[in-house]
């Protein structure tokens, strides 16, 4: 590409972003008031579910709370999100406090272990007790803490799926090599755009695996698969596991901040999620849920004297403090970052996590429907079905194995049109020797209908150019 062409493409991209609304069909009208960066929690408290005009104004306020580059449209929250302005500003202030008062941080974060008030503020928003939530570094941190801490022995079996992230597959590899554990991958049903895939299909896949394998000691799976964006029936899978007396560890990297979670109702044993993705906290933050001090392990793993070793802790010897404090304290921590995560969580709670889930799904449904109309022949891997729906849309209008072409499509979509998405790869069937590839779109609360319509219009135009 010549320099002159590169310059023209930059100009066209900005004009395209500004003008894409003209291609939208009856997009909702948005107001123009500027919302203060110092948002009071009470400002979000509105009951707008039955008032479209108020709902539209609410999401306009929310969108203005983010500092995302206006010359592009960001649709890659599944990789990392963006902090709200007031959270970003408070994070900077708190970092200055720690630098100014390194000994006691001027009492900013309360008493030792300095995160208790944060946890108290946010635990209920996830349907959990304060003694069940640990503010971790990310999903991988939580998954490793549990998988490497469980008292596995040779001959034990772990059930997982063939669509897991390295946050799970890496520690699974460790326990396999270290303890002689057998890791069995369940073949997930994979939607490609035409099949009738239901929750029952996922339940039966796990049930068949349970009946085919003896000595299963743990079931671990992604609540939403990062590869396709399919939402698995987590509560029903936990119910199934309980019938067999098996604990569950869930990778919730894409649910914290997207779904209206009730971890008690789900009744899993462990749940590890990210703070920097859909929850829009800073990097290296996450949430780990440990149900009731992992007490159910004493029933499920009664043959093991110590079912869970607290390997990621500075207080493994201090049982009197309780599991939550033991797992939370790892020596000096990044308290400003954890406070920023808590601040973002509080904003979500004030907006209403049910409202956020509904908004994310609304945009996701629109995206999937418009893509189906624009590219009816394309593969779509994330079902547009309420039971399996998430804020992630994955598709491929080309050959499934043509990674090079998808990367070119992704890059041109950003460079020429200003829309930022990503690619993923996965195996349709776990026996496949080559990967299938897809483009992945994440729709979140700082996106709107005009963004989605503009994106699909750009995708359609770019596709026509590339074929």
């Amino acid at each position: 590409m010549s320099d002159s062409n590169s310059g023209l493409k930059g100009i066209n991209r900005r004009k395209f972003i500004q003008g894409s609304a003209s291609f939208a069909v009856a997009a909702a009208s948005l107001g123009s008031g500027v919302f203060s960066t110092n948002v009071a929690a009470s400002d979000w408290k509105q009951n707008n579910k039955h008032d479209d005009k108020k709902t539209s104004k609410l999401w306009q306020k929310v969108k203005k709370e983010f500092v995302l580059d206006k010359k592009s449209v960001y649709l890659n929250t599944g990789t990392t999100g963006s902090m709200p302005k007031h959270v970003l500003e408070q994070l900077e202030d708190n970092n200055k406090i720690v630098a100014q008062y390194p000994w006691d941080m001027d009492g900013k974060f309360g008493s030792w272990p300095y995160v208790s008030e944060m946890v108290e503020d946010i635990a209920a928003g996830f349907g959990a007790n304060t003694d069940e939530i640990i503010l971790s570094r990310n999903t991988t941190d939580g998954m490793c803490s549990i998988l490497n801490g469980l008292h596995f022995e040779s001959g034990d079996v772990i059930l997982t799926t063939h669509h897991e992230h390295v946050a799970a597959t890496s520690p699974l590899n460790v326990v396999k090599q270290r303890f002689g554990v057998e890791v069995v991958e369940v073949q997930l049903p994979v939607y490609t755009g035409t099949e009738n895939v239901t929750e029952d299909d996922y339940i039966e896949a796990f049930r068949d695996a349970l009946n085919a394998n003896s000595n299963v000691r743990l079931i671990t799976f992604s609540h939403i698969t990062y590869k396709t964006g399919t939402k698995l029936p987590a509560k029903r899978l936990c119910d199934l596991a309980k019938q067999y007396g098996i604990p569950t560890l869930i990778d919730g990297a894409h649910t914290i901040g997207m779904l209206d979670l009730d971890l008690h109702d789900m009744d899993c044993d462990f749940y590890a999620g990210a703070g920097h993705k859909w929850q829009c906290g800073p990097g290296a933050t996450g949430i780990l849920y440990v149900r009731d001090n992992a007490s159910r392990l004493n029933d499920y793993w009664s043959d093991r004297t110590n079912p869970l070793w607290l390997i990621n802790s500075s207080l493994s010897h201090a049982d009197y403090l309780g599991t939550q404090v033991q797992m939370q304290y790892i020596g000096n921590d990044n308290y400003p970052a954890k406070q920023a995560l808590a601040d973002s969580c509080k904003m979500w709670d004030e907006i209403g996590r049910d409202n956020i889930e509904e908004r994310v799904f609304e945009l996701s449904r629109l995206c999937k429907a418009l893509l189906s109309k624009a590219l009816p022949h394309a593969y779509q891997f994330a079902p547009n079905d309420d039971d399996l729906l998430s804020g992630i849309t994955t598709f491929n209008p080309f050959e499934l194995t043509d990674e090079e072409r998808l990367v070119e499509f992704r890059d041109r979509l950003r460079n020429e049109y200003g829309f930022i998405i990503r690619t993923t790869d996965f195996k349709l069937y776990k026996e496949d020797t080559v990967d299938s590839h897809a483009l992945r779109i994440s729709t979140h609360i700082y996106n709107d209908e005009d963004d989605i319509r503009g994106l699909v219009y750009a995708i359609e135009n770019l596709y026509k150019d590339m074929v």
Side-chain angles (χ1 to χ4, degrees), residues 119 122-136 138-139 141-143 145-146 238 248-252 255-256 261-274 286-296 308 323-324 327-328:
V119 173
I122 69 172
F126 297 105
N129 297 334
T130 55
D131 63 353
E132 296 174 317
I133 294 291
I134 294 101
L135 300 184
S136 63
N138 51 33
T139 308
D141 184 41
M143 295 292 288
S145 293
I146 302 305
C238 291
T248 45
L249 165 62
I250 301 178
D251 178 334
T255 60
I256 303 292
L261 294 171
D262 186 335
L263 295 173
H264 282 168
D265 182 64
M266 188 184 300
D267 205 20
C268 58
D269 292 278
F270 309 99
Y271 198 99
I287 288 175
L288 173 63
Y289 167 78
V290 177
R291 179 193 176 277
D292 189 28
N293 291 300
S295 60
R296 196 153 54 188
L308 180 65
T323 303
Q324 190 271 342
M327 297 188 76
Q328 182 64 72

Side-chain angles (χ1 to χ4, degrees), residues 323-343:
T323 303
Q324 190 271 342
V325 173
Q326 288 177 282
M327 297 188 76
Q328 182 64 72
Y329 189 67
I330 54 171
N332 191 37
D333 210 334
N334 190 339
Y335 303 110
K338 286 181 164 50
Q339 181 64 64
L341 173 60
D343 290 343

Side-chain angles (χ1 to χ4, degrees), residues 151-171:
H151 190 156
F152 290 112
E153 294 180 356
S154 180
D156 290 346
V157 175
I158 301 174
L159 289 187
T160 186
T161 84
H162 75 304
H163 277 191
E164 297 307 311
H165 188 268
V166 291
T169 60
S170 178

Side-chain angles (χ1 to χ4, degrees), residues 160-169 172 184-192 202 206 220-230 232 251 254 381-382 394 424-432 434-438 440:
T160 186
T161 84
H162 75 304
H163 277 191
E164 297 307 311
H165 188 268
V166 291
T169 60
L172 284 172
V184 175
E185 291 184 347
V186 176
Q187 167 70 54
L188 291 180
V190 181
Y191 179 76
T192 62
Y202 293 92
F206 276 88
T220 182
F221 61 91
S222 293
H223 195 164
I224 295 173
T225 66
Y226 88 102
K227 292 178 177 292
T228 68
T230 303
L232 271 59
D251 178 334
H254 292 279
F381 304 103
T394 47
T424 65
D425 57 81
F426 51 90
K427 288 180 170 56
L428 283 177
Y429 302 97
K430 63 181 185 178
E431 297 86 5
D432 287 353
V434 294
D435 285 342
S436 297
H437 298 270
R440 194 183 80 182

Side-chain angles (χ1 to χ4, degrees), residues 5 55 130 157 191 212 219 285 308 328 354 365 374 380 440:
N5 284 338
T55 299
T130 55
V157 175
Y191 179 76
I219 297 175
T285 60
L308 180 65
Q328 182 64 72
D354 56 340
R365 289 189 192 97
Q380 282 205 38
R440 194 183 80 182

Side-chain angles (χ1 to χ4, degrees), residues 188-444:
L188 291 180
V190 181
Y191 179 76
T192 62
T194 58
E195 302 87 349
N196 181 27
V197 179
T198 69
E199 282 191 348
D200 290 342
D201 296 320
Y202 293 92
I203 300 301
E204 289 310 307
F206 276 88
R207 191 189 304 276
D208 290 345
L210 284 166
N211 292 334
N213 293 275
S214 60
N215 203 31
V216 175
R217 305 305 296 247
L218 179 71
I219 297 175
T220 182
F221 61 91
S222 293
H223 195 164
I224 295 173
T225 66
Y226 88 102
K227 292 178 177 292
T228 68
T230 303
K231 180 180 65 181
L232 271 59
K235 181 179 178 180
R236 291 185 61 188
L237 288 172
C238 291
D239 288 341
L240 177 66
K242 286 184 290 183
Q243 295 172 23
Y244 287 77
I246 299 170
T248 45
L249 165 62
I250 301 178
D251 178 334
H254 292 279
T255 60
I256 303 292
M258 181 205 294
L259 302 187
D260 182 20
L261 294 171
D262 186 335
L263 295 173
H264 282 168
D265 182 64
M266 188 184 300
D267 205 20
C268 58
D269 292 278
F270 309 99
Y271 198 99
H276 70 281
K277 295 179 184 285
W278 300 85
Q279 188 54 68
C280 296
T285 60
I287 288 175
L288 173 63
Y289 167 78
V290 177
R291 179 193 176 277
D292 189 28
N293 291 300
S295 60
R296 196 153 54 188
L297 285 180
N298 295 326
D299 297 326
Y300 291 165
W301 287 30
S302 58
D303 58 330
R304 308 284 159 89
T305 55
N306 189 21
L308 180 65
W309 295 90
L310 305 184
I311 60 160
N312 189 17
S313 169
S314 298
L315 296 170
S316 63
H317 59 286
D319 291 345
Y320 65 93
L321 291 171
T323 303
Q324 190 271 342
V325 173
Q326 288 177 282
M327 297 188 76
Q328 182 64 72
Y329 189 67
I330 54 171
N332 191 37
D333 210 334
N334 190 339
Y335 303 110
K338 286 181 164 50
Q339 181 64 64
L341 173 60
D343 290 343
S344 182
C345 287
K346 286 188 284 186
M347 176 180 167
W348 261 234
D349 292 338
E350 293 296 339
I351 295 172
R353 291 184 180 272
D354 56 340
N355 293 327
I356 289 172
E357 178 182 304
E358 183 179 332
R359 176 60 172 171
V360 170
F361 285 5
E362 181 180 42
L363 294 175
S364 182
R365 289 189 192 97
L366 176 63
C367 184
K368 291 173 172 63
L370 291 178
L371 273 175
S372 295
K373 185 176 180 180
L375 301 173
H377 63 284
Y379 296 97
Q380 282 205 38
F381 304 103
N384 196 5
D385 172 89
D386 285 350
D387 291 336
L388 306 174
L389 184 68
S390 79
I392 295 174
T393 300
T394 47
F395 72 104
N396 185 341
F398 305 111
E399 292 292 328
L400 285 178
T401 57
D402 194 346
E403 179 183 14
E404 184 177 346
R405 205 172 194 189
L406 280 192
V407 169
E408 179 189 353
F409 192 97
R410 177 201 67 196
D411 292 346
R412 287 185 62 183
L413 192 64
R414 176 179 182 175
N415 295 333
E416 298 176 25
Y417 295 89
F419 292 93
I420 300 172
I421 64 174
R422 67 162 284 181
T423 54
T424 65
D425 57 81
F426 51 90
K427 288 180 170 56
L428 283 177
Y429 302 97
K430 63 181 185 178
E431 297 86 5
D432 287 353
T433 57
V434 294
D435 285 342
S436 297
H437 298 270
L439 295 156
R440 194 183 80 182
I441 302 163
S442 301
T443 49
H444 204 19

